[in-house]
Amino acid sequence: MSDRKPLRVGMVGYAFMGAAHSHAWRTAPRFFDLPLQPQLAALAGRNAEGVSAVADKFGWDSAETDWRRLIERDDIDLIDICTPGNTHAEIAIAALEAGKHVLCEKPLANSVEEAERMAAAADAAAARGVYSMCGFSYRRTPALALAKRMVDAGRLGQIRHVRAQYLQDWLSDATAPLTWRLDKEKSGSGSLGDIGAHSIDAAQWITGRRITGVSAMLETFVKERPVGGEFVGLGGQGATGEDVQLGTVTVDDAAIFSARFEGSTSNGGTPDGGTPDAGAFDGGPIGVFEATRFALGRKNAMRLELNGTRGSLAFDFEDMNTLSFYDAAEEPDAGFRRIQVTEPQHPYTGNWWPVGHGLGYEHVFTHQVVDFLTAINEGRQPSPSFADALQVQKVLAAVEASASDDSRWQKVPS
């Protein structure tokens, strides 16, 4: 690997996403033939002791307590942002203007206005050969990437229904502690932006169609939570007792919305250039979305089902190496069949283990690094771009606007 041009990475944030990204940067060049050699140059975090310990644990060469130092350093080529959403815009724009590539975790920002500024900065930087990408990592799940390939090939015909759920249960305990994810000023929204954004991006990406309007409901089941306690993973156990300090939850616990996707293009084809089925209605698919962190027993059920005129696809991340497919022409009476997505010809899987030896959550971040570095080396815009992420941000804003207006239909700006 010594003959590859180095790409020196500076990462901001070192908790949950920081661990996943650190693993990906170290692993990607060892399983994929990358054109660039990532080097873990520096890790930034506000707590000097904490960031130094994590830098040592995950193999970063140095540690900083101010992300601005990463921007100033000449030995950093790319900034990886793994911080709460309220910091994304400032860090990303500064990095792009300094000539550094940017990988930013989702959702892109905490508001449409911030996301618009980030997308504008990304466009200006791309003209100078500096690229950015938003971390909608589920795109890199082999089964979902295969679903995208099958939809693009016309295996489902015209898409009529989109059903998307993202179900977790880590906040079901009313005494779980108050974390930054429950503070709107830091996180932007609750289940809607934290996990619902993944479903929105995946649905738009796989269908090749934007969401044009929504009708929504948001709910916060637990209004107050303990400020202190034992923090484990995303949640933990809040402090108990008569004198426990409680803080207000300012985000949604659950989000539900219906959606309309854009229809056919003016020439009678589909947005991705395909040909619609004869006589098929193509006013655009309709969709139903649900995101919650209160679904007891569901640990990370990111689900997506598409029903078309020729067939259907269904996916559940809790069974992430499997894609269910129904072909109405070949097997009209058989129902869904399970595709084990571990064959060498499937997306990404040929670089890993023998057939049948499944992948895990961490692999999608490795694939993200692979795709990002490949695009940078080829001088093309990586996907999803900040413009793609801005579109998701507009859907999130429309959902919130609808929910605050008695679920009235809200158009999503193009």
Side-chain angles (χ1 to χ4, degrees):
M1 295 186 289
S2 60
D3 60 339
R4 302 176 190 173
K5 181 181 178 181
L7 186 94
R8 299 160 299 184
V9 180
M11 191 169 76
V12 190
Y14 57 88
F16 172 30
M17 280 298 100
H21 284 225
S22 296
H23 179 274
W25 287 116
R26 290 183 63 82
T27 304
R30 289 164 173 79
F31 284 85
F32 291 80
D33 185 17
L34 296 183
L36 302 171
Q37 174 61 30
Q39 295 179 357
L40 282 66
L43 179 66
R46 290 174 298 179
N47 182 290
E49 182 179 351
V51 70
S52 295
V54 173
D56 183 64
K57 178 179 181 181
F58 290 119
W60 292 88
D61 293 339
S62 61
E64 300 282 358
T65 56
D66 188 337
W67 61 265
R68 293 169 185 84
R69 283 285 300 124
L70 300 184
I71 307 295
E72 296 166 356
R73 286 175 53 164
D74 293 332
D75 62 340
I76 302 291
D77 304 307
L78 182 149
I79 301 296
D80 186 356
I81 304 171
C82 298
T83 55
N86 63 319
T87 66
H88 289 182
E90 183 181 12
I91 299 172
I93 292 172
L96 290 168
E97 290 179 346
K100 301 183 190 300
H101 307 293
V102 173
L103 173 61
C104 182
E105 260 302 325
K106 61 79 222 163
L108 187 62
N110 278 5
S111 70
V112 171
E113 187 274 334
E114 286 182 340
E116 287 175 336
R117 290 195 290 112
M118 294 172 72
D123 286 344
R128 307 189 306 271
V130 177
Y131 296 105
S132 54
M133 187 172 79
C134 189
F136 285 108
S137 54
Y138 285 99
R139 289 192 181 198
R140 272 74 191 192
T141 308
L144 282 180
L146 178 61
K148 168 67 172 172
R149 183 185 294 178
M150 295 171 73
V151 169
D152 287 349
R155 300 293 298 275
L156 269 62
Q158 292 294 333
I159 307 298
R160 290 172 169 165
H161 288 284
V162 176
R163 245 169 252 103
Q165 293 179 311
Y166 203 142
L167 313 176
Q168 297 177 338
D169 70 354
W170 61 273
L171 275 178
S172 297
D173 183 353
T175 66
L178 194 70
T179 70
W180 70 265
R181 294 177 187 272
L182 303 178
D183 182 348
K184 187 174 179 62
E185 289 189 4
K186 295 179 180 178
S187 64
S189 65
S191 62
L192 174 63
D194 185 25
I195 54 180
H198 276 302
S199 296
I200 294 166
D201 177 71
Q204 293 188 136
W205 170 61
I206 292 177
T207 63
R209 304 191 181 209
R210 294 179 298 106
I211 293 173
T212 60
V214 299
S215 174
M217 290 191 299
L218 300 178
E219 184 59 67
T220 302
F221 300 117
V222 179
K223 313 295 185 184
E224 294 183 319
R225 291 184 177 275
V227 173
E230 181 182 0
F231 296 90
V232 179
L234 295 175
Q237 178 60 53
T240 59
E242 295 181 359
D243 298 327
V244 169
Q245 180 184 357
L246 298 178
T248 303
V249 175
T250 54
V251 299
D252 61 280
D253 286 330
I256 299 176
F257 65 95
S258 56
R260 167 75 70 182
F261 290 74
E262 64 185 343
S264 65
T265 56
S266 58
N267 65 5
T270 60
D272 60 12
T275 302
D277 294 340
F281 169 75
D282 193 29
I286 56 175
V288 180
F289 290 75
E290 179 183 10
T292 180
R293 300 183 287 205
F294 276 71
L296 279 169
R298 301 300 181 190
K299 303 305 178 182
N300 200 45
M302 190 276 195
R303 298 169 168 178
L304 185 66
E305 180 170 327
L306 308 177
N307 306 129
T309 54
R310 299 176 184 173
S312 296
L313 286 168
F315 169 79
D316 186 339
F317 192 79
E318 290 189 342
D319 188 13
M320 66 169 288
N321 293 290
T322 298
L323 181 67
S324 295
F325 175 53
Y326 173 69
D327 190 318
E330 294 186 8
E331 301 173 293
D333 302 320
F336 280 90
R337 65 180 175 88
R338 286 165 53 87
I339 302 171
Q340 192 172 23
V341 190
T342 60
E343 298 289 337
Q345 69 269 24
H346 292 151
Y348 306 108
T349 54
N351 287 75
W352 294 103
W353 319 123
V355 173
H357 295 68
L359 303 186
Y361 177 68
E362 71 278 12
H363 292 87
V364 303
F365 295 95
T366 301
H367 303 157
Q368 180 171 264
V369 166
V370 171
D371 290 346
F372 192 21
L373 267 58
T374 300
I376 290 173
N377 184 69
E378 294 175 357
R380 58 178 173 84
Q381 174 59 53
S383 179
S385 66
F386 277 16
D388 296 327
L390 168 59
Q391 166 62 23
V392 174
Q393 201 77 43
K394 290 178 179 180
V395 177
L396 297 177
V399 169
E400 289 192 304
S402 174
S404 65
D405 192 22
D406 293 329
S407 303
R408 287 184 176 85
W409 190 256
Q410 184 76 25
K411 291 185 177 180
V412 178
S414 60

